[in-house]
Amino acid sequence: MFSSPFSEDNDRDRTVSITLTDDTGRTLDCYIEHSLSVDGQDYVLLLPVDSPIEVFAWEGEDEDEEAVLVEDDETLDEIFGTAQAVLAEQNLVLKNTAYALTVAGDLPAVEESELFTLEIEDDETDLEPEQLQLLASFYHQEQEYSIYTPLDPLLFFARITKNGQPELLSPEEFRKVQPLLEEQLFNEVE
């Protein structure tokens, strides 16, 4: 998954969708935001149909408390039922989809007091802080967890294989083709 320089805010009809499948067989339905061809290879920029979420565990005491992203599948499986119940109270349906947990339903309006800024440290790239909206908090076995959704869209970039299936690009592949793709997208916008 990539935060993309291609994000464009348009009101086009989002009826064309495609399904990504991960190694475990889980799926993620996505809208095709943009498609293009570079050197005979077809690529698609994809936006999940449902809203992605991230789960954080709060560790430490009071002023030293720190949010730690929960990425461990075992922990996520253990807390999934509780998270699902808490989100259901807001008429949101938690889904264990490919590449990201998602929620279906109407997200609450963004309130400034419910925003969390995540500073991303990466030695290779200069990443902007990510803003997240709090959806719910809960406890599981005396551990506090919070569920957030990113304010910026989560975009995936994939190539279309010969059999017509989308295949995510690795970060290395994405870096190689990114300048070509940006150039083509820029030319199409003009």
Side-chain angles (χ1 to χ4, degrees):
M1 76 186 140
F2 308 99
S3 289
S4 174
F6 306 125
S7 56
E8 56 184 68
D9 190 20
N10 56 29
D11 295 328
R12 88 178 107 186
D13 183 24
R14 289 186 172 160
T15 56
V16 179
S17 64
I18 197 164
T19 301
L20 291 172
T21 305
D22 68 10
D23 296 339
T24 65
R26 292 181 300 185
T27 60
L28 178 65
D29 292 331
C30 296
Y31 295 117
I32 298 175
E33 284 292 296
H34 198 80
S35 60
L36 55 113
S37 184
V38 176
D39 297 332
Q41 175 64 60
D42 292 327
Y43 295 94
V44 287
L45 184 63
L46 304 172
L47 176 70
V49 170
D50 296 319
S51 302
I53 59 123
E54 296 178 7
V55 179
F56 290 87
W58 291 96
E59 297 181 357
E61 296 294 321
D62 299 325
E63 292 153 19
D64 294 330
E65 195 172 43
E66 182 178 336
V68 177
L69 181 63
V70 178
E71 297 179 282
D72 175 70
D73 285 337
E74 188 175 308
T75 303
L76 289 171
D77 288 344
E78 186 179 316
I79 64 173
F80 190 83
T82 305
Q84 201 170 31
V86 169
L87 289 169
E89 292 173 4
Q90 297 182 44
N91 296 320
L92 296 172
V93 178
L94 180 60
K95 299 178 178 182
N96 192 0
T97 51
Y99 305 111
L101 292 174
T102 58
V103 292
D106 293 329
L107 296 177
V110 176
E111 293 183 30
E112 226 23 70
S113 63
E114 300 293 312
L115 294 181
F116 172 65
T117 301
L118 179 63
E119 301 287 336
I120 303 170
E121 295 178 20
D122 186 348
D123 296 335
E124 295 177 22
T125 57
D126 192 21
L127 298 173
E128 294 290 321
E130 183 178 9
Q131 281 212 302
L132 305 162
Q133 175 187 358
L134 177 66
L135 297 179
S137 291
F138 63 94
Y139 283 87
H140 181 80
Q141 296 182 356
E142 298 183 23
Q143 172 64 57
E144 182 181 5
Y145 294 94
S146 293
I147 302 169
Y148 289 89
T149 187
L151 292 185
D152 292 331
L154 174 64
L155 300 170
F156 294 91
F157 204 75
R159 79 169 62 79
I160 302 299
T161 63
K162 291 179 182 174
N163 63 1
Q165 296 301 311
E167 181 179 273
L168 285 185
L169 296 180
S170 70
E172 297 78 29
E173 292 172 297
F174 181 75
R175 279 192 277 282
K176 286 179 186 175
V177 298
Q178 183 177 5
L180 298 170
L181 301 171
E182 287 175 344
E183 179 181 327
Q184 185 161 348
L185 284 172
F186 180 75
N187 290 339
E188 288 179 15
V189 169
E190 289 185 333

